[in-house]
Amino acid sequence: MSLDIKTLANRYNTPLYVYDFDKITKQYEELKGAFNGKKSLVAYAVKSNSNLAVIRHLAKLGAGADCVSIGEVQRALKAGVSKYKIIFSGVGKKDDEIRQALQAGILLINLESEAEMKRVEMIAKSLNIQARISIRVNPDVDPKTHRYISTGLHENKFGVSIQSAKRMYIYAKKSEYLNSIGIHFHIGSQLTQLAPIQEACAIVADLVRSLQALDIKIKFFDIGGGLGVTYNDEIMITPEAYAHAITQTIKGLDVTILLEPGRYLMANSGIFLTKVLYEKKNGTKRFVIVDGAMNDLLRPSLYNAYHKIEAIQKEGETTLADVVGPVCESGDFLGKDVPLPMMEHNDILVVQSAGAYGFTMSSNYNTRGRSAEVAILDGKDYLIRQRESFEDLIRLEEACDTSWQG
Ligand code: LLP
């Protein structure tokens, strides 16, 4: 990102999300390139950063979209993702969402239970169309990641067991309204070890082979997302090692590989800028109070996640400080024990690796308007989401009749 951070913070004010679109391109091309020579589609996990400009940028590069609500499907369509590249997943889809997804004619609806399959069949029948489906298998593999973002164990709510999946495929084969062309697994997020991915992949590939024997042909092999990134000192799985492990494991299967990366594309393509309000000490404990808070970037509070925090253009001896926001919760912090020089009003802090699950998990808690978002492409900056105003926050309340309160 060649633009000066200070200029951006002053031009757009803070708190502010800034995304490096050239970096997004680089990440996309590295991952897609690693699967070169194989039939593959990168379906971007929209939940990680659903700004329309981000989705549009990835769509132009050829990406599809992995969506978990009809809202995300609508975003993807609006941003120009081809309907044939859109997947709709999620453990609890409402009838209306299923209907809209079927009517939109997207590539796949990903089923997460037998009950859901029956529901999709019924809705497809009412529309007199055949639903293209895949089934999310829970391979019961420990992904070795934070337990809040682990999804591939039977104790997690996601997917169905191998046995149930097999039953579901056999049922679907007989149904006039279901066309089971895909299989899916996703064992967790921020994965830094290859072995669990490979293990899950092998289990699911075996299932595909046994389905072939039943004349059930799987065309799309969806390996989910989950590729980890470096926040601190984690060693990343390289795209090449990832691609190699997957392609070796599914050797002999004639399938298109679907990938659903979110964090890998976005986390280190974005930063969060916040300005210092005050310094204070409670006893010996030092706090740097900033204008960004847990409502803007929830990951530290929710997962105790580490994000590197750096002061811009500040020299001097550093001591440890907690970087905290103005929200009325003790859990409102962006960083703990961060080495920082003495800070002054309006000094800028950069919170690194904030491009994924940053803005999308933000809220209006404490009636705080959500941050603005800016894209940098080719050294130029573009506003891609306006800062929320007070009027934005109360609009839906103001739209209601208040006469009953006199
Ligand atoms: N596919 C499925 C089915 C998923 O559930 C997820 C993420 C992804 C793809 C994308 O995973 P990624 O490539 O980004 O790891 N809020 C948490 C992360 C939750 C991830 C949920 N599922 C965080 O901030 O760490």
Side-chain angles (χ1 to χ4, degrees):
M1 223 174 297
S2 56
L3 274 197
D4 175 32
I5 300 280
K6 227 172 185 166
T7 310
L8 288 171
N10 291 330
R11 186 170 298 162
Y12 297 102
N13 211 341
T14 55
L16 182 73
Y17 277 99
V18 183
Y19 310 119
D20 179 348
F21 274 37
D22 298 301
K23 170 90 177 170
I24 301 173
T25 307
K26 184 170 161 279
Q27 293 298 100
Y28 173 83
E29 282 176 351
E30 263 175 28
L31 187 58
K32 179 73 184 150
F35 285 85
N36 213 355
K38 300 277 173 283
K39 286 183 286 184
S40 68
L41 171 68
V42 173
Y44 166 58
V46 170
K47 65 170 87 70
S48 65
N49 187 321
S50 53
N51 188 294
L52 289 171
V54 170
I55 310 174
R56 204 177 293 125
H57 182 71
L58 283 159
K60 279 193 183 151
L61 296 172
D66 162 46
C67 305
V68 288
S69 68
I70 202 67
E72 286 191 354
V73 171
Q74 285 166 333
R75 274 189 183 268
L77 288 168
K78 194 163 185 80
V81 178
S82 153
K83 64 181 181 179
Y84 298 114
K85 293 183 179 175
I86 296 178
I87 308 163
F88 183 20
S89 310
V91 277
K93 303 178 196 76
K94 295 174 75 159
D95 286 1
D96 201 39
E97 293 187 298
I98 296 169
R99 191 170 304 111
Q100 286 186 53
L102 288 173
Q103 282 169 331
I106 62 171
L107 177 65
L108 283 170
I109 297 190
N110 212 342
L111 304 179
E112 300 228 15
S113 63
E114 294 199 50
E116 187 183 41
M117 178 175 66
K118 303 274 171 65
R119 209 79 213 153
V120 169
E121 184 186 33
M122 200 184 79
I123 297 168
K125 186 174 176 187
S126 75
L127 296 170
N128 197 27
I129 51 179
Q130 209 182 34
R132 280 185 296 276
I133 57 155
S134 66
I135 293 172
R136 178 164 180 180
V137 177
N138 183 324
D140 202 21
V141 167
D142 184 352
K144 306 264 190 305
T145 183
H146 192 296
R147 68 188 177 88
Y148 281 14
I149 49 176
S150 146
T151 47
L153 281 168
H154 280 174
E155 67 190 59
N156 304 125
K157 67 179 176 179
F158 299 97
V160 297
S161 68
I162 298 284
Q163 295 74 16
S164 308
K166 205 163 180 177
R167 264 203 313 277
M168 286 168 71
Y169 280 111
I170 292 168
Y171 179 94
K173 186 175 162 58
K174 293 191 199 124
S175 167
E176 242 182 283
Y177 299 101
L178 298 172
N179 185 10
S180 53
I181 53 171
I183 198 156
H184 174 238
F185 68 93
H186 170 86
I187 58 171
S189 198
Q190 182 57 8
L191 306 177
T192 49
Q193 295 184 33
L194 207 43
I197 306 176
Q198 203 161 7
E199 192 187 336
C201 193
I203 293 170
V204 177
D206 278 347
L207 176 59
V208 172
R209 291 190 190 97
S210 72
L211 292 173
Q212 270 174 351
L214 297 171
D215 202 26
I216 297 166
K217 189 163 165 25
I218 299 297
K219 292 191 194 142
F220 295 96
F221 191 92
D222 185 343
I223 61 173
L227 259 191
V229 303
T230 305
Y231 286 97
N232 189 7
D233 51 8
E234 304 89 334
I235 312 249
M236 276 177 64
I237 301 169
T238 65
E240 290 70 31
Y242 184 56
H244 182 74
I246 303 281
T247 47
Q248 283 302 107
T249 314
I250 63 169
K251 227 182 188 151
L253 295 181
D254 179 22
V255 289
T256 297
I257 300 168
L258 298 182
L259 300 99
E260 301 175 350
R263 194 187 313 267
Y264 177 81
L265 298 176
M266 291 308 302
N268 283 318
S269 304
I271 53 176
F272 178 66
L273 303 184
T274 183
K275 274 189 190 159
V276 172
L277 299 174
Y278 315 105
E279 276 256 7
K280 81 168 184 183
K281 270 196 168 166
N282 282 350
T284 55
K285 181 85 189 166
R286 177 182 171 209
F287 293 98
V288 172
I289 302 160
V290 295
D291 65 359
M294 66 187 288
N295 76 295
D296 302 301
L297 179 63
L298 184 61
R299 301 191 74 255
S301 302
L302 190 61
Y303 311 118
N304 209 13
Y306 172 83
H307 285 261
K308 188 172 191 179
I309 300 180
E310 289 163 319
I312 289 297
Q313 297 171 4
K314 284 298 267 195
E315 306 277 297
E317 201 187 319
T318 63
T319 58
L320 299 183
D322 284 6
V323 177
V324 300
V327 163
C328 298
E329 301 266 354
S330 292
D332 175 27
F333 64 93
L334 299 178
K336 294 230 157 148
D337 293 330
V338 184
L340 288 172
M342 272 309 283
M343 302 298 289
E344 285 160 305
H345 193 74
N346 279 342
D347 280 345
I348 299 162
L349 292 178
V350 180
V351 182
Q352 298 288 353
S353 318
Y357 307 106
F359 185 89
T360 47
M361 290 174 71
S362 65
S363 76
N364 295 123
Y365 188 38
N366 281 202
T367 303
R368 288 170 53 87
R370 281 179 294 175
S371 311
E373 294 176 285
V374 166
I376 309 289
L377 181 72
D378 263 344
K380 290 206 192 72
D381 52 311
Y382 305 92
L383 183 66
I384 57 174
R385 194 179 206 273
Q386 295 176 354
R387 183 174 303 286
E388 277 175 349
S389 65
F390 176 66
E391 282 65 37
D392 292 328
L393 299 190
I394 59 165
R395 190 173 56 84
L396 299 175
E397 291 148 71
E398 292 272 275
C400 297
D401 177 17
T402 55
S403 61
W404 59 276
Q405 288 187 307

